[in-house]
Each structure stands twice: as C-alpha cells, then as structure tokens.
Amino acid sequence: MAKEKGFYKEAGLDVKIREYEEGKDPVAMIEAGEVDFAIGRSSLLLHRSKNLRLLAAVYQSSPFVLLSLSRNDIADLKDIRGKKVAIYDSVTNMASIFAMLKAEGIQQYDFEVILQSDPESSVQDLIAGKIDFLSSYLSNEPYLLRENGYAVNIFNPKNYGFDFYSDILFTSQKYVRLHPITTEKFYRATLQGWRYAFNHLYETVSVIRKKYNTQHKTQEALLYEAKVLRKLAFVADVPFGDINPVRLREIANTYRLLGIDIDSANDFENMIYTPPGNYTLALEKSEKQYLNKKSEITVCIGENRLPVEGVVDETPTGMQNDFLQVISTMIDTPFTEVAYGSDGSMDTKSCDMAGLLFKKDSRAKNLLVTDPLVTLRLFIATSVDKPYVENISALGTKKVAVVKGYGYKELVQKRYANLEVVEVETPMQGFQGVVEGQYYGYIDLLPYLNAQIQNFYSGILKINGDLQVPVSLGFGVKKSEKALWHILQKAIHAIDAKEKDAIVQAWLFNDTQKQKDIRFLQKLLLFIGVVGLLVLYKYILSVRHNNALRASVKEFELLMESTLEGIIIFDMEGICIRTNKMANQIFGYEDKEMIGRHALELVSQRSLRHVKIAMQVKNKEPYEAKMLRKDGSEFDALVRGRNIFWKGKQIRISTVIDISDLKKLQYDLQMLNRQLEDKVSQQVESIRQKEQMLLHQNKLAAMGEMIGAIAHQWRQPLNVLNINIQNLDDDYEDGLIDRTFIENFIAENSRIIQFMSKTIDDFRNFYRIDKVKECFFVREAIELTTSMQSAQFKERKIDFEIRGDDFCITGYKHEFQQAILNLVNNAADAVERTGKRGKIEIVLENDTVRIIDNGGGIDEAIIDRIFEPYFTTKSQGSGTGIGLYMSKVIIEKNMGGRLDVQNGEEGAVFTISLKGLCKFDFPEQKRTRTASCITQNIAAVEAEAL
C-alpha cells in the first residue's frame, strides 16, 4: 500500500516490487545487488557474517503452525508419532515448529516427513488422508479447511514458548552506509504503508485482488488472512515493526537447541537498524527511575482530528502517533493511546498525558504543556465558488466559524478584529454551516481541513486562504507527572527538524488551493489572449454549468440529510465512501466511522448469502434482511440498492429502513389475533351451548303441551272402549254375542287401541334428537305434528286446515316439526285470547310455508322484538319467551331458511322460506316420492360422514 497510496512517491522514491520466486534466496539477491531491500524470516540470524541490517519485523509472531484434521486418533501433539507430516520448507525456516516438537520429546525420526510446495494440493492430501499433519500459514490453510466443513487442530509454536519474528524487512549494512537518506525514507514509507494497509483492510484487499492476486484468492479469503495477520503485527505495548535484541538472542538459542550452526556471539544490536532521530536521551536518575516504574505511558487522544490525531479501526494513527513512536524508541517505553471522555475532558485516572494541543486549549487548563513539537497554521475553508482570499482582512465583518475550546477564537480575533467569529461544538457543524450558507468559512489547522475536504467535501468546499496565524502544539502532561514533562521536553528537543518535517509532510497535501487557482487563471488568460471572445463565451457557459452542478450537489447533500431513510454510498468494491446521519444513527456509528468499511460488515451472518446475491443486481427492489449494528446486535431492515454514475464513476446507493418496531408490531398483532380467535371460538361455543339449552327448554315446554294434546286425543277413544266394555254384559244377556259379533268387537277395539298406540309413536318420534340431515316432505311432517292436536283444536273451538301441495326439503325433520309446533301453538294462544271462534291455516306454496291465524295480529310497537329470547306478551307463568326465538334459530341457522312475520287482514302471518328443495309434479310423481327421499337420505348421511 506504500506504493499504491503514493507514500514512496511522496518520499521521492521510485520503488519496484518483485514477487517472491520459488528457489530464489533473498539474502543472495541482496548480496548480489539484484535488489536493495527484501523480506526474510528469523533464519536471517544464521547469516550474521554477511553483514545484514534488519529494518523492521512486520509480524511480531510467526504465522507458521502445525495443523491436522480433528480426528479421534489425534488429541494432542504427541499423537504425531508414526504419522505423515507435510513440510513446506527446510528445518531452518521451520525452526519454531521443530523446536516445539523437540520440546515435547518428539524427534524427527518419530514421524515421516514429506516435502511439499503447493498449499492447495497439501490441503487436498490432508482431506484425502494421504498425510496426517501439515505445516501451514495460520491465515491460509485453516480457512480453506473450515470453508470446506472440516474442523482442525492447530498447534502453534508460540503457545509452546517458541515465538519467532516473521516477514523481516532487511538490507545490507553496505547499502545503509552508502544510502542513509534513501534507507530512512524507504523504512518510514514502508512502515507507513503497512500501517495504512492494516487500518484499511477492505481497501487493501480490493487493491490486492485487482493487481497482486496471483494465487487467485477470494475476497473472503483475503479478508480472513488480513485480519489474522493484523493480530500478529500489532501487539500491545510493542511499537509496530519493533525488533528486540533480547528476542533475537532467544531465537538464536532455539537454533542451537536444534543443532543448527550459528555464530556463538549473542550481540545482535549491530544487526538492528536505528533510523535517525532514535537518539539516546541524557536522563536524570529520577527520570530513569520514573520510567523504570512505568510499564506504559497512557495518552488521551481525540478520535476525530485526523491527520493530527485519531483512531481508525481501533488503532491510533496520525502525525501525533508517529511522533509518539519516535519518542517511544528514545525512552524505551511504549505509549498507549486512549480516547478522551465523551465530554471532551481528559480522564485523569486513565491518562498520564494528553496529545498535541495548543496552550490556550481548554483541555490544557490543568496541564503542564511542553515546548512546541510542531507548529501549524490556521487556514480558512469556503465553498468552491468563493474567490481565493489573498488578504483575510478583506473579509471585513463576515461570519466565520471555529471549533469551540481549542483557543482558535482568541487567536483569530486578536489578528482580525473585524471578523465575526462564531464557535461551534464540532468541526462537522462548522463544515455543514459553510455548505448551508450560515458561515462564509470555517477556520482550522491546514492538515485537518485538507483531510476533511478530501474525504467528505470534495467539489463542494476548498481551502481558500492562509490566516498567517501560527498554532504551536505541544504535549499536555498532568501536573502530578512532572518527571514525565521533563522527559518529553528533552525528547522534543532531541528530534531534529528534518525528521519533524518529514512526519508532518507525510500527513499534508503540499499544493494549496491558491496555487491551483493561480495556474488556472494563467491558463484561462492564455486561452483568452489566443482564442478571444469565443473561448470567453464558452468559459462563461462552463462557469454557469459548474455553478448549476455545485448547486445540484448541494441539493443532493441536503436531500440525503432530509430523508428518513439511512443512505449509504459504496464504491463498486463494496467499500463505504459516504453516509447520511440517519444511516449512522440506524447502525449506531459515530460520524465518519462507517467510512472505509465493507458493506458485508453491516450484515448479520444469517442474511450474508442473501445480501451478497442482492448486491450483484444493478437495481434491486426492496427486500428484508438482518443487519448488524456497531454493538453487534441484529435488527430487521428493509434494504434497496441501485447502481448509478456519480462524479464520473459508478457507485452503489443503498437505502436502509429499520423495521424492527414494525416487525414487533406485526408479531404482537399476530399474537393478538390468535388470542382473539380463541376468545371468539370460546364465545361461539358458549352461545352454541346456550342455544342447545334453550332448545332443550323449548322441547320440555312443548312436551308438556304435547302431553296435554295426547290426553285430549285419548279421552274419546278411552270413553268408547269403556262404553263397549260396559255394553258387553248387556249384549250377552240379550244373546247378541256370536262369532260375527266377537270379530266385529275385536276389530273395532283394536282400531281404537292402534290409534292410541300411533299417537304414542308419533310423540316419541317427535322428540327424537336429529343428528343427520334427511330429506323429508314438508306437508307430511306438518300433518304428523298437528294430528296430535286435533282434539285440542276442537275443544278450543279452532278450525284448523292445511292447504297446498307437498314438497321435499333436506334438513332436520324433528327440529322442523318443533318449529311448526311452536308457531301453531303461538297462533292458537293468540286466537283463544280473542274469545271468538278461531281459525288457523297452514298454506304450502312456492317453497314456502305460511301459518295464518285470525287472532287480531301483533302490536306494531313490538313486532320487531317477538323473536328475541325471553320476550313474551303472555301473563307471568303462561309463557317462557323462547318458543319463537328457537323457531327462528331452527329455520334460519340450522336449516338455512328464513322465518318472517307480518300482520294480515285478521291476524298474524308467519312465513317460512325454505331452501334445498327437491320438487315433484303431483300427483303423477307422488308415488315415487318415498323412494326419492330414501335415496337423498342415504346421500345426506354419506355427506355428513365425510
């Protein structure tokens, strides 16, 4: 990344990178002058006599490990005996692995060594069982095996006490002597490139895939490798790239343990490169004692003041971090950087000192501030349509913004008294205020303005003037840490000016907007002089177009921030390049924290495959996915993605809506519906039971009336039987009894008894419970029901008549008879109350049954209520009020018909409309009606069974 990001170019170096070739010895290539710098392993110690110079160790721990598949016969390292082991390299380069084995009492002859050079084929051999163990790279083979569904055992030499360096950057002592400046520049630019790579993993992976992916690894494999190697490169309390002579001596002792020939001298300090500025300070005894007691020095830093100071991917970075690393090498004590408190105040318990700050800074109030380490100047940023400000005084009384608490307001007002200086809480408020026209410009340090405009406001804002106001920055130290203040004072003065300038320049863009405007103006004047008015005209059109474009960009920015959706802009590699505030809020990130992250970092593992597929679609319609917040929590989201061209390149705009609350409401609604359905079912069942109870009550009431009807029916035949029996003795005395008399006597009395028996059968059938629908004839059922009441009708002086043709329906016959009985009894009661001779007619016509009486009709005030349960117009004790209600239930609910009532000429008319009819043309087909009903009854029973 040092080459890709231009770090080498900025240092004035033209670097060509050669990929490692199998069989080539990097040490031999350095000696022969084929290359100037190379990467080696800890085995470089074996070449001490060749006068090598070790610049930096990229990995503090070697990624070489031994692995096997998880098998029953391999529980620990000692199970390697008798197994086949694939080794990529020689014993010298695999020394940490062989030392680990020897420490466990395992000799080389205890297992079979198989030399292999292709990692992929070795993995396949391990899966196939051709080998049992494999020396591997911690970031490569374990990933391949796990991706293929295999669990692995990893035996890491570090866990057994053998911790080797790896990927050591080195050159020859001769080259360092002849080219000290080039060596220093290469050293610093290379380490800067490594730091950038590890702080921007997704961007680095993208570059590797495009230009350096000779092994054709997938993006997921490269990301896995990068994350594993980052852990090996950055170790707490150890400067990045550090090479410790004590550890070199331990590594040399390991080689001796393996019987490998190595120089007996243990002085490796001369092999380690020390860049200029890594001076040894002349410290007082008390200062040395202070450092001996401190395992680390904690520094409070700001998170969002890059490139001066800041944190990227939880790793401190910026020019302040580079200065601290230089000082760390001077005092042999690491600095640990922690963020300020949420209110911007220094945590006096956690921190020994603050980072770089101005002595007028509010944070410096209770601190001892060192002499300036670096001096920067204040510049002003304005919108791109403003002319370059040659003299800041020319701005007059314009309103400008500075960040609160940094002491800049006092500096600016002291030099430019007419300016209206407004303090804002955060730099972002200042930048946004300029975009929205609240302020003419925003004032801050040049490096910070450069970084923010390049990252977020390119084409919208520009650096537009130098205030010529210097800001000297030094370290702030707690007053209780005065020894530390003295040490830092000495360190600051020990760093030479060139090194200070190199660090600052590495984080600065050299060309200011003023230089760009001057060059543009020169070209414009040249074109005007050569081409004339035509070019001027075109230029004016171009300016108008650019103004319109800037206005549209500004509108775009305002539109992004005015929507309720989270908007994230990705490049075509899936790297986030811009977000709106709503997106930050939804995912729980601070401003700019999402920049540089890959889209898949925001997706839950459960939706990863789904989102990957969706991202391949140019215009993806909205879909639901499980997303991931910064704190690791999942939430439901509605996502939409669209590829567009913006600023001359293709990007992907994704919108995200948090629908967690909606999903919860949907779930709660579903649960509520289920509970409601259960309650409705319970209520329906309760109503059904009540209706059954009412039906039973109605039957009991009807039973009493029917028993009375039977008593009337039996009174006359019983009288006849009594008279016949009394007359039998007289007939015998008169000699009238003979065979013919006896036969006539038996026949007449049998007919009477059969009539009485039929009455009992009719009564029993009437109260039989219907369970299955049957096809029955309506008139026949009515005649059977009313035949038992004929005697009562005569006694109550009611004329009863049934008219009309019979027809067939499918339903519950006995319930229908009960409804007829209720309606007829109701009509009889109404007629009887009039005191005159009554008349009841039942008329069958056009699939309807009408019960007509001359009982005077129903009061219109209550006619709409007569079918309500327990409503009755009879005197107390004379009626239950459920007869008409149950009749309506039977006809309408149970049989699917309709029961209505209206007043006729002389009384009430109840009309029953019936469905499901089977018609007959009487009288020709009347003979077949019984057979037809039997057929339909069989079909009804089968349907009910199904």
Side-chain angles (χ1 to χ4, degrees):
M1 293 304 287
K3 184 177 179 66
E4 293 296 325
K5 300 306 293 184
F7 301 149
Y8 287 138
K9 187 176 180 181
E10 290 173 6
L13 301 176
D14 182 14
V15 178
K16 295 180 181 178
I17 299 175
R18 291 176 55 176
E19 189 172 5
Y20 173 74
E21 299 177 35
E22 192 70 34
K24 287 277 189 178
D25 182 7
V27 175
M29 295 171 73
I30 287 286
E31 282 189 302
E34 292 182 42
V35 295
D36 299 316
F37 302 91
I39 296 289
R41 298 172 184 161
S42 293
S43 56
L44 291 172
L45 296 182
L46 304 177
H47 302 280
R48 181 174 180 178
S49 61
K50 296 180 181 178
N51 296 319
L52 301 179
R53 189 62 64 93
L54 311 183
L55 303 183
V58 176
Y59 303 128
Q60 293 297 304
S61 296
S62 171
F64 282 110
V65 297
L66 198 63
L67 66 80
S68 73
L69 295 180
S70 291
R71 294 172 11 190
N72 293 332
D73 61 334
I74 301 178
D76 57 37
L77 190 57
K78 293 181 180 179
D79 292 327
I80 199 172
R81 289 186 172 90
K83 301 292 195 301
K84 295 179 180 179
V85 182
I87 300 293
Y88 290 144
D89 215 328
S90 63
V91 174
T92 55
N93 286 331
M94 297 280 112
S96 59
I97 291 178
F98 282 97
M100 172 181 67
L101 293 172
K102 191 163 186 176
E104 290 295 298
I106 302 167
Q107 304 300 325
Q108 192 169 335
Y109 53 75
D110 287 331
F111 52 86
E112 180 182 350
V113 176
I114 300 174
L115 291 177
Q116 292 197 11
S117 59
D118 182 12
E120 191 169 341
S121 63
S122 298
V123 168
Q124 295 303 320
D125 288 347
L126 187 66
I127 294 173
K130 295 180 181 179
I131 57 175
D132 304 297
F133 285 79
L134 174 66
S135 66
S136 77
Y137 222 55
L138 188 60
S139 60
N140 189 37
E141 287 81 357
Y143 173 82
L144 294 176
L145 287 165
R146 286 166 180 157
E147 281 295 293
N148 284 281
Y150 294 96
V152 297
N153 299 320
I154 295 177
F155 304 98
N156 194 333
K158 180 180 178 181
N159 299 332
Y160 291 80
F162 301 98
D163 195 7
F164 279 33
Y165 289 121
S166 188
D167 285 34
I168 300 173
L169 180 67
F170 72 99
T171 185
S172 65
Q173 291 189 16
K174 179 181 177 181
Y175 189 90
V176 174
R177 186 175 66 256
L178 295 176
H179 309 285
I181 297 177
T182 301
T183 302
E184 180 191 355
K185 289 181 177 180
F186 181 81
Y187 166 81
R188 296 197 184 282
T190 301
L191 263 61
Q192 184 182 356
W194 274 108
R195 290 192 192 96
Y196 186 90
F198 284 125
N199 289 335
H200 302 82
L201 293 185
Y202 282 94
E203 181 182 349
T204 303
V205 166
S206 177
V207 171
I208 292 174
R209 288 189 68 197
K210 287 180 179 178
K211 297 185 178 182
Y212 305 102
N213 194 16
T214 57
Q215 297 182 23
H216 308 292
K217 291 186 178 182
T218 64
Q219 177 170 308
E220 289 76 10
L222 289 171
L223 278 173
Y224 177 86
E225 184 170 30
K227 291 176 180 178
V228 171
L229 294 179
R230 180 167 62 180
K231 292 179 181 179
L232 300 179
F234 292 96
V235 178
D237 304 333
V238 178
F240 177 69
D242 179 69
I243 300 177
N244 191 321
V246 176
R247 284 191 62 188
L248 292 182
R249 286 193 285 271
E250 292 173 354
I251 294 170
N253 289 334
T254 301
Y255 282 118
R256 296 187 184 101
L257 173 69
L258 295 173
I260 298 172
D261 187 23
I262 188 172
D263 193 334
S264 59
N266 266 343
D267 183 13
F268 293 102
E269 281 81 355
N270 291 335
M271 287 188 74
I272 302 172
Y273 171 73
T274 303
N278 290 14
Y279 309 103
T280 301
L281 301 180
L283 300 179
E284 301 291 337
K285 183 178 179 180
S286 60
E287 294 166 354
K288 291 180 180 179
Q289 290 175 344
Y290 174 85
L291 292 176
N292 289 334
K293 293 179 182 179
K294 300 288 286 188
S295 60
E296 63 178 8
I297 298 171
T298 54
V299 187
C300 273
I301 65 169
E303 293 186 349
N304 298 306
R305 290 292 292 173
L306 287 173
V308 178
E309 62 176 352
V311 178
V312 176
D313 292 339
E314 300 180 358
T315 303
T317 186
M319 64 175 67
Q320 172 182 282
N321 184 65
D322 288 354
F323 280 122
L324 288 174
Q325 290 198 26
V326 170
I327 297 173
S328 176
T329 60
M330 293 181 182
I331 64 176
D332 196 25
T333 304
F335 289 91
T336 300
E337 297 170 85
V338 297
Y340 277 109
S342 59
D343 60 351
S345 62
M346 176 176 165
D347 187 346
T348 55
K349 293 182 179 179
S350 301
C351 301
D352 300 311
M353 57 180 285
L356 290 173
L357 46 77
F358 179 48
K359 62 182 179 180
K360 297 292 186 180
D361 193 316
S362 60
R363 295 172 295 173
K365 185 176 181 180
N366 297 313
L367 300 175
L368 297 171
V369 181
T370 66
D371 291 341
L373 175 63
V374 62
T375 298
L376 304 172
R377 293 206 307 273
L378 293 175
F379 279 69
I380 186 169
T382 69
S383 58
V384 292
D385 58 341
K386 299 291 190 297
Y388 183 77
V389 183
E390 191 76 41
N391 184 359
I392 300 298
S393 298
L395 295 180
T397 60
K398 292 190 182 298
K399 185 185 292 186
V400 295
V402 296
V403 71
K404 185 178 181 180
Y406 282 33
Y408 298 161
K409 181 177 181 180
E410 181 181 344
L411 284 176
V412 174
Q413 287 184 330
K414 185 176 181 180
R415 187 176 179 91
Y416 304 102
N418 291 332
L419 278 178
E420 183 182 351
V421 183
V422 179
E423 288 188 312
V424 292
E425 293 294 331
T426 66
M428 288 301 103
Q429 290 181 5
F431 285 118
Q432 197 62 32
V434 176
V435 172
E436 296 172 0
Q438 297 177 28
Y439 315 120
Y440 183 85
Y442 172 70
I443 296 172
D444 211 320
L445 298 176
L446 175 61
Y448 184 68
L449 290 179
N450 257 322
Q452 296 303 305
I453 291 175
Q454 290 293 327
N455 289 333
F456 304 109
Y457 297 97
S458 178
I460 302 172
L461 302 180
K462 67 178 180 180
I463 296 174
N464 210 22
D466 183 357
L467 274 72
Q468 299 294 324
V469 175
V471 179
S472 297
L473 304 177
F475 290 116
V477 182
K478 286 197 316 190
K479 292 182 179 179
S480 61
E481 305 289 328
K482 198 163 185 178
L484 175 60
W485 181 83
H486 285 292
I487 293 170
L488 291 176
Q489 284 283 81
K490 293 178 180 180
I492 287 170
H493 291 289
I495 304 174
D496 62 38
K498 287 184 178 180
E499 185 162 11
K500 290 180 182 179
D501 185 61
I503 291 175
V504 173
Q505 290 301 318
W507 291 94
L508 273 178
F509 296 96
N510 294 319
D511 50 342
T512 64
Q513 187 65 36
K514 175 182 178 182
Q515 295 168 325
K516 294 180 181 178
D517 286 349
I518 291 173
R519 288 196 298 271
F520 177 77
L521 183 59
Q522 290 172 341
K523 292 180 181 180
L524 181 60
L525 291 173
L526 179 61
F527 276 120
I528 292 174
V530 175
V531 183
L533 293 176
L534 180 61
V535 176
L536 179 60
Y537 173 71
K538 289 184 177 180
Y539 171 71
I540 293 172
L541 291 180
S542 175
V543 170
R544 290 178 179 174
H545 173 72
N546 288 339
N547 287 340
L549 184 61
R550 293 184 192 107
S552 65
V553 170
K554 183 177 179 180
E555 290 176 1
F556 174 72
E557 297 288 338
L558 294 175
L559 183 62
M560 277 190 65
E561 295 302 335
S562 63
T563 179
L564 294 177
E565 298 173 307
I567 300 177
I568 311 173
I569 301 178
F570 300 98
D571 64 17
M572 294 315 293
E573 293 296 328
I575 306 298
C576 174
I577 59 177
R578 194 157 196 160
T579 63
N580 68 349
K581 292 179 182 177
M582 182 56 69
N584 294 332
Q585 181 180 330
I586 289 174
F587 286 92
Y589 286 92
E590 298 295 330
D591 189 26
K592 299 186 302 179
E593 272 192 307
M594 294 175 69
I595 306 300
R597 295 185 180 274
H598 195 273
L600 298 182
E601 287 188 80
L602 309 175
V603 182
S604 167
Q605 193 69 29
R606 291 194 284 171
S607 294
L608 207 55
R609 183 173 177 274
H610 181 41
V611 174
K612 282 182 181 179
I613 296 172
M615 289 179 67
Q616 305 303 315
V617 181
K618 289 184 179 180
N619 297 318
K620 181 63 179 175
E621 293 303 314
Y623 61 96
E624 290 187 17
K626 293 279 186 183
M627 307 303 286
L628 207 59
R629 295 189 181 92
K630 179 183 177 181
D631 61 8
S633 61
E634 290 184 351
F635 67 95
D636 292 292
L638 189 67
V639 185
R640 182 176 185 176
R642 184 175 296 273
N643 293 351
I644 66 169
F645 277 92
W646 187 54
K647 291 187 178 181
K649 61 182 180 180
Q650 193 174 28
I651 61 169
R652 185 173 185 84
I653 293 183
S654 295
T655 59
V656 180
I657 300 175
D658 186 348
I659 58 172
S660 301
D661 292 340
L662 179 61
K663 298 290 282 186
K664 184 179 184 303
L665 285 174
Q666 288 178 343
Y667 175 78
D668 292 343
L669 185 59
Q670 289 175 354
M671 296 303 297
L672 187 61
N673 284 339
R674 290 178 185 175
Q675 295 174 3
L676 188 59
E677 287 175 1
D678 292 340
K679 288 184 179 180
V680 169
S681 299
Q682 293 172 3
Q683 290 298 321
V684 169
E685 178 62 21
S686 174
I687 292 171
R688 190 189 66 79
Q689 292 177 359
K690 289 179 180 178
E691 287 181 351
Q692 291 294 327
M693 187 174 6
L694 288 174
L695 182 61
H696 181 65
Q697 292 176 355
N698 183 243
K699 281 194 173 185
L700 291 177
M703 185 183 295
E705 295 179 357
M706 191 61 74
I707 289 174
I710 291 172
H712 280 285
Q713 290 288 93
W714 278 18
R715 184 171 293 125
Q716 183 178 355
L718 284 174
N719 287 336
V720 172
L721 283 175
N722 184 45
I723 291 171
N724 287 342
I725 291 171
Q726 290 178 356
N727 290 339
L728 186 63
D729 185 58
D730 293 338
D731 291 339
Y732 177 77
E733 292 291 336
D734 294 340
L736 298 176
I737 298 175
D738 55 14
R739 169 56 60 183
T740 301
F741 179 88
I742 293 298
E743 289 175 352
N744 290 336
F745 183 84
I746 292 173
E748 182 181 357
N749 289 322
S750 294
R751 181 181 58 78
I752 294 171
I753 292 171
Q754 286 175 1
F755 170 79
M756 296 173 68
S757 175
K758 183 175 181 300
T759 303
I760 295 298
D761 288 339
D762 290 343
F763 176 77
R764 183 183 61 193
N765 289 334
F766 180 81
Y767 288 102
R768 190 175 65 192
I769 297 174
D770 288 321
K771 293 184 179 180
V772 179
K773 289 183 178 181
E774 61 177 309
C775 182
F776 63 91
F777 288 91
V778 174
R779 178 162 181 160
E780 188 177 73
I782 295 173
E783 289 175 345
L784 184 63
T785 302
T786 56
S787 64
M788 291 181 287
Q789 295 178 291
S790 57
Q792 277 190 330
F793 290 155
K794 289 180 181 178
E795 183 178 332
R796 298 168 75 176
K797 297 180 181 180
I798 297 173
D799 297 330
F800 182 80
E801 179 183 6
I802 300 175
R803 294 187 288 112
D805 295 331
D806 204 350
F807 58 89
C808 174
I809 65 170
T810 300
Y812 300 106
K813 178 180 178 181
H814 297 102
E815 288 190 3
F816 175 74
Q817 287 178 300
Q818 183 177 342
I820 293 295
L821 179 63
N822 290 339
L823 294 172
V824 170
N825 284 339
N826 186 75
D829 290 342
V831 167
E832 193 172 34
R833 284 198 296 270
T834 63
K836 61 180 181 180
R837 188 167 187 84
K839 181 174 71 174
I840 299 175
E841 291 181 285
I842 298 180
V843 181
L844 287 74
E845 182 180 18
N846 296 328
D847 306 334
T848 63
V849 176
R850 289 185 296 149
I851 296 92
I852 307 169
D853 65 58
N854 64 345
I858 304 170
D859 188 348
E860 291 294 337
I862 63 170
I863 195 169
D864 292 332
R865 297 187 58 199
I866 64 170
F867 292 116
E868 294 178 7
Y870 302 109
F871 180 82
T872 180
T873 58
K874 298 177 184 178
S875 59
Q876 187 172 3
S878 300
T880 62
I882 61 173
L884 291 180
Y885 166 72
M886 288 311 305
S887 297
K888 194 169 183 69
V889 170
I890 290 169
I891 297 300
E892 295 189 354
K893 184 175 180 181
N894 295 1
M895 301 191 64
R898 184 174 180 81
L899 174 60
D900 297 304
V901 63
Q902 63 271 351
N903 288 318
E905 295 180 358
E906 297 182 87
V909 179
F910 287 85
T911 303
I912 302 174
S913 299
L914 299 169
K915 297 180 180 179
L917 308 180
C918 47
K919 295 180 178 293
F920 293 98
D921 295 330
F922 293 94
E924 288 80 11
Q925 294 185 4
K926 192 171 183 179
R927 290 189 299 273
T928 64
R929 69 182 186 177
T930 303
S932 298
C933 266
I934 291 173
T935 302
Q936 292 192 40
N937 285 338
I938 294 173
V941 171
E942 291 176 345
E944 189 76 18
L946 290 174

